[in-house]
Amino acid sequence: MFYTYDIFNDALRLKDIIDGFFDDAPGSTGREFPLVNIYEKDDTVTIKALMPGVKSEDLNIELAGESLIISGERKSDYTESPYVRKERSFGAFKKSVRIPWAVNPDTIKAGLNRGILTLTLDKSEDAKPRKITIN
């Protein structure tokens, strides 16, 4: 049996090892903050993002083309006494989420309740399915 050596396989293995190291680092979730779920029902798109400890005045939400951009800052709750253990991260964040449907920007609703940001977007008339009659 012949085995051919490919240096690119070693490079890919090294990349996986390095990615795993940073994903498993203390305070890292291995995912980009905030974590987002997107739901579609009829003519409405609902986006829910986990925002624990973030106040509405520290958030900025923009619709740019097909992308919804959520940015803001998680402010530190550090007081005079130092941490014994710190797993939560603080600071500025920015996440772009592609919306696979055209939406009406005038009807977007946003609410922040108990650490969950809920955005409700109505599909535009162009994105709604149309019945085609056969002649």
Side-chain angles (χ1 to χ4, degrees):
M1 178 176 195
F2 291 103
Y3 175 76
T4 57
Y5 176 75
D6 189 356
I7 193 167
F8 294 111
N9 288 337
D10 286 346
L12 291 174
R13 232 176 283 128
L14 179 61
K15 179 189 175 302
D16 290 341
I17 291 169
I18 292 171
D19 287 346
F21 172 77
F22 287 107
D23 286 346
D24 296 336
S28 172
T29 63
R31 298 184 182 153
E32 190 179 335
F33 182 84
L35 301 178
V36 174
N37 290 341
I38 301 176
Y39 308 91
E40 176 201 16
K41 185 173 182 186
D42 301 325
D43 297 331
T44 305
V45 178
T46 303
I47 299 171
K48 292 190 176 189
L50 295 178
M51 298 277 181
V54 178
K55 296 178 181 174
S56 59
E57 58 265 14
D58 296 329
L59 281 173
N60 184 34
I61 303 165
E62 298 176 6
L63 182 65
E66 297 178 344
S67 295
L68 183 76
I69 302 165
I70 303 170
S71 60
E73 182 178 5
R74 285 198 288 185
K75 295 191 177 172
S76 176
D77 59 357
Y78 180 79
T79 59
E80 295 299 317
S81 53
Y83 292 110
V84 173
R85 181 176 178 137
K86 181 181 177 240
E87 293 183 354
R88 293 171 43 217
S89 61
F90 301 100
F93 61 87
K94 185 173 189 176
K95 184 166 189 171
S96 177
V97 178
R98 186 181 170 281
I99 308 297
W101 304 275
V103 296
N104 184 350
D106 299 326
T107 62
I108 297 175
K109 297 177 203 118
L112 183 64
N113 186 16
R114 298 178 66 141
I116 299 176
L117 173 67
T118 303
L119 298 159
T120 305
L121 303 93
D122 294 328
K123 291 182 183 177
S124 71
E125 291 299 319
D126 296 337
K128 294 178 184 177
R130 293 190 179 103
K131 177 134 175 104
I132 299 173
T133 57
I134 302 172
N135 296 329

